[in-house]
Amino acid sequence: MSSKFKIFDKCYAFKEAEQARAAGIYPFFKPIGKNAGTKVIIEGRELLMAGSNNYLGLAGDPRMIEASIKTLKKYGTSCSGSRFMNGTLALHEELEVKLADFVGKEEALCFTTGHQTNMGAISTLVGRGDHVITDKYNHASIMDGIFLTVGLNKSVNVHRYRHNNYEELERILKSIPEDAPKLIVTDGVFSMEGDIVDLPHMRLLADKYKAAIYLDEAHAIGVIGDTGRGTTEHFNNSVYADIMMCTFSKSFGSIGGFVAGDAKIIDYIKHFARPLMFSASMPPANIVAASTALEIIKQEPERVQRLQQIGRKMAKGFSDMGFDTGSTTTPIVPLVIGNNEKAFIFWKTLFEKGVYVNPVITPAVPPNRAMIRTSYMSTHTDAELNQILEIIGDTGKALGLI
Ligand code: PMP
């Protein structure tokens, strides 16, 4: 088959997905028929879910569902416009006040997704001639924010340092003129490896070289810190980030995102962030779901503690079996497999045996570091976790991986 127009030639030449489908090892876009939290129905079979970001199990919590239904009935299904124009509800502003208080910042601003939050906040804060310094393992949405910055401002200086490598970070900072505006951007918890940024070390360097810190807390809020307040709480509130963001698509069981910081900074972002100004705002039911989740997180810190205990149990379980789990200290537990093909085969075997996990392959990870990303929910029972350990352990042995 070929295309009528040259512009589409690349689409017709793209074969990898087709080949993987034909070989029966294509792991992406699997429709989930019924999502009951720790168990899901896919292709008519029940699988144990070990690959969701619904960390606190709130996406299926009856209180979340009830609050969302009530809101749908009162406000309808959409805001039909951007925050800038007809798309701001009092509900958005009430949630923003609560979020700012929760993370200890003056103000917060909600976007429609976490991806848009990073795109909007980063592209607004980093301007012509400024320096942005980013960890190579940061989430794609951070890079997309930088790409948008580059597209808009042309002469932005982008520096990437090896993952959590503070010597390299310092070398970069030292090489930038002292008075040049600088923003260090980092994930709090890294989404694939499950390790945590050394924020105290980064803060020292940031202060020494007059750089501000932008912290992505997508996998940190609800996950680390005794009460789920994320990376700063994990470090006993001894350090801070100048500006932080989080998504609602993980611990908050909804969709959307927010950025928080000084009132003047948030007001500036509000007036210049293109993804906020030119895209429709968070729908009412999702605002209320996020708000309900925030209340539950505040009232039930035992969920966070259970999640942390599960993370420790699973990481220890897998590493005792001989798996390489990298440097995780969170409920994101990667199993480093090697090349892409091995990761696909491992994924498929687990899928057939009834465990859903996510394969992460190059180019998302460096060559020969293809992995199976496992992640857990505070609602997993010990029996479910033991079953997951057993199935993954048996499969690892059968495939000669451990
Ligand atoms: N930041 C990080 C670290 C993430 O992992 C993600 C989502 N995977 C996002 C931002 C984007 O969040 P959302 O799903 O709300 O677009």
Side-chain angles (χ1 to χ4, degrees):
M1 257 202 295
S2 66
S3 135
K4 196 167 145 198
F5 300 106
K6 239 185 153 21
I7 189 80
F8 301 129
D9 282 357
K10 52 189 164 292
C11 314
Y12 285 83
F14 172 59
K15 295 277 181 284
E16 282 87 344
E18 226 168 84
Q19 286 160 358
R21 278 188 211 109
I25 53 166
Y26 182 75
F28 306 118
F29 299 98
K30 284 257 175 241
I32 295 183
K34 183 167 168 245
N35 186 350
T38 57
K39 294 195 172 114
V40 289
I41 304 285
I42 302 179
E43 294 170 0
R45 286 187 310 124
E46 186 177 85
L47 283 90
L48 277 165
M49 172 51 87
S52 170
N53 297 314
N54 180 16
Y55 294 122
L56 299 175
L58 295 181
D61 188 286
R63 292 165 290 182
M64 301 271 289
I65 296 169
E66 267 316 302
S68 304
I69 292 172
K70 252 197 200 154
T71 310
L72 271 170
K73 287 189 172 158
K74 184 164 173 196
Y75 290 88
T77 48
S78 170
C79 292
S80 314
S82 93
R83 290 295 304 277
F84 200 50
M85 308 290 245
N86 60 306
T88 291
L89 298 173
L91 291 175
H92 288 110
E93 295 189 342
E94 284 156 20
L95 174 59
E96 286 165 353
V97 169
K98 286 210 265 179
L99 289 165
D101 176 64
F102 183 71
V103 298
K105 294 287 183 201
E106 280 179 11
E107 277 191 16
L109 176 67
C110 290
F111 287 67
T112 310
T113 67
H115 187 278
Q116 290 196 349
T117 310
N118 276 334
M119 292 274 285
I122 294 170
S123 63
T124 305
L125 292 173
V126 183
R128 192 183 299 272
D130 295 349
H131 292 257
V132 58
I133 307 126
T134 174
D135 189 303
K136 283 192 175 168
Y137 280 18
N138 278 344
H139 189 254
S141 57
I142 289 176
M143 272 323 287
D144 292 348
I146 295 171
F147 293 146
L148 179 56
T149 313
V150 173
L152 292 170
N153 299 294
K154 306 282 190 271
S155 60
V156 167
N157 300 290
V158 183
H159 310 264
R160 297 178 77 212
Y161 58 93
R162 271 166 292 162
H163 179 48
N164 271 344
N165 186 324
Y166 299 97
E167 285 72 38
E168 190 176 3
L169 174 61
E170 178 155 22
R171 268 200 307 280
I172 293 169
L173 289 167
K174 215 186 227 165
S175 72
I176 303 171
E178 198 184 330
D179 287 336
K182 308 170 197 78
L183 184 68
I184 305 171
V185 185
T186 185
D187 283 2
V189 170
F190 288 87
S191 54
M192 296 299 140
E193 304 275 336
D195 53 345
I196 302 172
V197 67
D198 185 348
L199 193 60
H201 196 160
M202 182 174 279
R203 186 77 258 173
L204 282 177
L205 295 177
D207 289 344
K208 185 169 168 192
Y209 295 98
K210 298 188 185 155
I213 298 178
Y214 178 108
L215 185 66
D216 178 330
E217 292 283 82
H219 301 271
I221 291 186
V223 179
I224 62 171
D226 286 345
T227 64
R229 280 172 166 78
T231 307
T232 40
E233 188 180 30
H234 174 79
F235 290 108
N236 302 316
N237 298 312
S238 58
V239 278
Y240 66 97
D242 303 279
I243 186 146
M244 50 84 50
M245 69 75 67
C246 187
T247 169
F248 299 133
S249 65
K250 308 188 193 305
S251 297
F252 287 84
S254 181
I255 192 157
F258 72 96
V259 59
D262 289 355
K264 287 295 286 177
I265 301 173
I266 298 303
D267 197 44
Y268 183 80
I269 294 174
K270 221 176 191 169
H271 290 92
F272 292 95
R274 296 173 68 87
L276 185 88
M277 296 163 73
F278 301 114
S279 188
S281 63
M282 263 180 93
N286 294 109
I287 308 170
V288 167
S291 179
T292 307
L294 182 59
E295 291 309 317
I296 296 174
I297 294 170
K298 285 196 267 190
Q299 284 157 20
E300 300 175 7
E302 60 276 13
R303 282 177 181 268
V304 179
Q305 283 141 25
R306 166 75 180 150
L307 180 66
Q308 293 171 0
Q309 182 214 343
I310 290 174
R312 286 190 293 272
K313 171 187 167 87
M314 299 309 275
K316 181 171 184 322
F318 289 127
S319 84
D320 284 353
M321 287 174 193
F323 278 108
D324 174 1
T325 57
S327 45
T328 181
T329 50
T330 66
I332 299 170
V333 184
L335 307 172
V336 181
I337 302 296
N339 63 32
N340 287 355
E341 196 189 339
K342 272 192 196 166
F344 279 141
I345 292 169
F346 194 48
W347 166 84
K348 183 176 160 54
T349 315
L350 293 181
F351 188 78
E352 281 167 355
K353 290 184 175 180
V355 179
Y356 183 95
V357 292
N358 292 298
V360 185
I361 55 167
T362 47
V365 284
N368 277 321
R369 208 175 160 74
M371 57 172 72
I372 293 295
R373 177 190 188 269
T374 72
S375 53
Y376 301 93
M377 296 175 231
S378 61
T379 43
H380 272 119
T381 64
D382 281 325
E384 289 170 339
L385 297 168
N386 292 337
Q387 212 181 335
I388 292 168
L389 281 169
E390 195 184 317
I391 294 173
I392 293 185
D394 289 349
T395 307
K397 271 189 217 129
L399 297 178
L401 293 168
I402 50 172

